[in-house]
Amino acid sequence: MYTRRQLLSGAAVAGSTALAGCFGMFGTDHAAYSTAGDTIEGVDYDSVQSRAREAGYTVEGPYYVNAKREIGRELTVPALAEQFGTDARVVLTQFNYSATRFFEVDFTVPDGGVRLAFFDDALDFEQPFRPTNLPPDDWLSEQFALLFDLSASATAGLVADVKSAAAGTSEHFLTYRVDRETDLEAVHGAFAERATSVTTSETYGDGWANQTYADERGTFGQFSVVVPSVRIVTTDAGHEYVVKLDRLGGLWLLVTLEPGETIPEDEYRGVFRQMFEAVGLPAERVDEYDFEYTPSNW
């Protein structure tokens, strides 16, 4: 779900939290039964929350991945807002020159502006990034003009600044902050016009979706979007049960217990079936899930 470059860029906080999965949601040592995740089509996200409260469950959130702090920026692209919801947030946009050379636009930078992160997967972690690892100047100029709505002379200056920064870094990737507004609607329009294939990853309850654009030559662009999610929580026989649900119908399930403790499978499946029935989710899906047992999170 998360690439090496996403973990290295400014979205690392969100990405690492999502990778922590269910164990990022509590701080003390616990055993757990958990699922990998699912997507249920046609979920009425707001109705599920209302029914959960009526059933006496605790509804926590909204979360953005696994933190209550909003990440990224407001999604101002009408076509994407229609698909993901008006409360979705854009976190990253990616421009691919080739299978190994690309850059990301990181929208998690505080105080406005964006951070550009340039990568060349032909490098290993011990090789420093150099100007030769950047895509060609004319390609960079074209992408910068689209992204920042810049003139040719302005893009030439930005390309020169990026190359100068690449000459001075000792890291195996390059980051460069740009304090300019971005035109994401123009970027999306260009991606959509060129693409012969558009795919969207499943969110599995954490609300992170990658929409990838490709043509006959391969992937050339991507938007990473986060939608809000909630935790629906109840306690049964001293054990905490959680349904983590996001606005796109992604979910995962979690039971937390004392370290090393176990409970019968029919017991925890039965509680989740009751929860699904109460909130309006298809209870029969619970029987299809594989639960992984972890005796301790330490």
Side-chain angles (χ1 to χ4, degrees):
M1 183 177 178
Y2 301 94
T3 64
R4 180 187 78 166
R5 53 195 177 276
Q6 287 170 342
L7 295 177
L8 292 171
S9 71
V13 172
S16 61
T17 304
L19 285 172
C22 59
F23 295 109
M25 301 305 294
F26 52 87
T28 58
D29 191 20
H30 284 81
Y33 293 96
S34 61
T35 63
D38 186 21
T39 301
I40 299 178
E41 299 293 335
V43 169
D44 188 329
Y45 178 72
D46 297 318
S47 174
V48 167
Q49 295 178 64
S50 296
R51 293 182 60 164
R53 293 187 179 96
E54 291 171 1
Y57 300 142
T58 299
V59 179
E60 301 173 350
Y63 290 94
Y64 294 85
V65 189
N66 280 339
K68 290 185 178 179
R69 176 180 58 85
E70 289 184 334
I71 59 175
R73 307 274 172 80
E74 181 182 355
L75 187 58
T76 56
V77 181
L80 293 180
E82 182 177 356
Q83 177 181 357
F84 293 105
T86 56
D87 51 2
R89 312 280 295 180
V90 61
V91 180
L92 297 171
T93 300
Q94 179 179 306
F95 294 80
N96 296 66
Y97 171 70
S98 68
T100 62
R101 286 189 284 175
F102 39 79
F103 74 91
E104 286 185 343
V105 186
D106 170 15
F107 296 97
T108 68
V109 177
D111 303 323
V114 295
R115 184 168 65 168
L116 307 181
F118 299 85
F119 302 90
D120 185 348
D121 276 351
L123 292 174
D124 63 33
F125 283 99
E126 296 183 358
Q127 291 178 288
F129 195 95
R130 288 292 176 260
T132 53
N133 298 114
L134 289 166
D137 291 6
D138 57 350
W139 184 86
L140 286 174
S141 292
E142 183 179 351
Q143 311 317 308
F144 292 163
L146 177 65
L147 176 63
F148 297 114
D149 190 21
L150 293 176
S151 65
S153 60
T155 59
L158 181 53
V159 169
D161 290 343
V162 167
K163 292 176 71 173
S164 177
T169 187
S170 60
E171 301 290 342
H172 64 279
F173 64 100
L174 171 68
T175 61
Y176 186 81
R177 177 160 177 160
V178 179
D179 290 317
R180 290 181 177 271
E181 294 295 323
T182 56
D183 190 346
L184 287 188
E185 189 169 358
V187 172
H188 175 264
F191 282 2
E193 182 177 4
R194 176 180 168 185
T196 57
S197 171
V198 180
T199 58
T200 305
S201 65
E202 295 188 71
T203 54
Y204 298 129
D206 280 330
W208 181 297
N210 294 323
Q211 185 156 102
T212 303
Y213 301 80
D215 59 15
E216 63 280 358
R217 291 175 290 181
T219 298
F220 63 81
Q222 180 176 286
F223 281 93
S224 293
V225 174
V226 170
V227 300
S229 58
V230 292
R231 298 173 80 237
I232 300 169
V233 184
T234 192
T235 301
D236 184 87
H239 307 128
E240 184 181 76
Y241 288 78
V242 177
V243 176
K244 182 84 183 308
L245 175 72
D246 65 48
R247 183 173 289 284
L248 298 180
L251 57 81
W252 52 255
L253 312 181
L254 169 70
V255 190
T256 59
L257 315 89
E258 292 300 315
E261 183 183 4
T262 63
I263 55 177
E265 180 179 346
D266 60 355
E267 180 177 333
Y268 60 77
R269 287 189 187 272
V271 174
F272 279 124
R273 281 195 294 270
Q274 292 173 8
M275 293 182 73
F276 272 45
E277 289 172 357
V279 303
L281 296 173
E284 65 276 7
R285 296 286 275 266
V286 175
D287 295 327
E288 301 173 6
Y289 297 146
D290 293 325
F291 284 83
E292 179 182 357
Y293 176 69
T294 306
S296 172
N297 69 313
W298 285 359

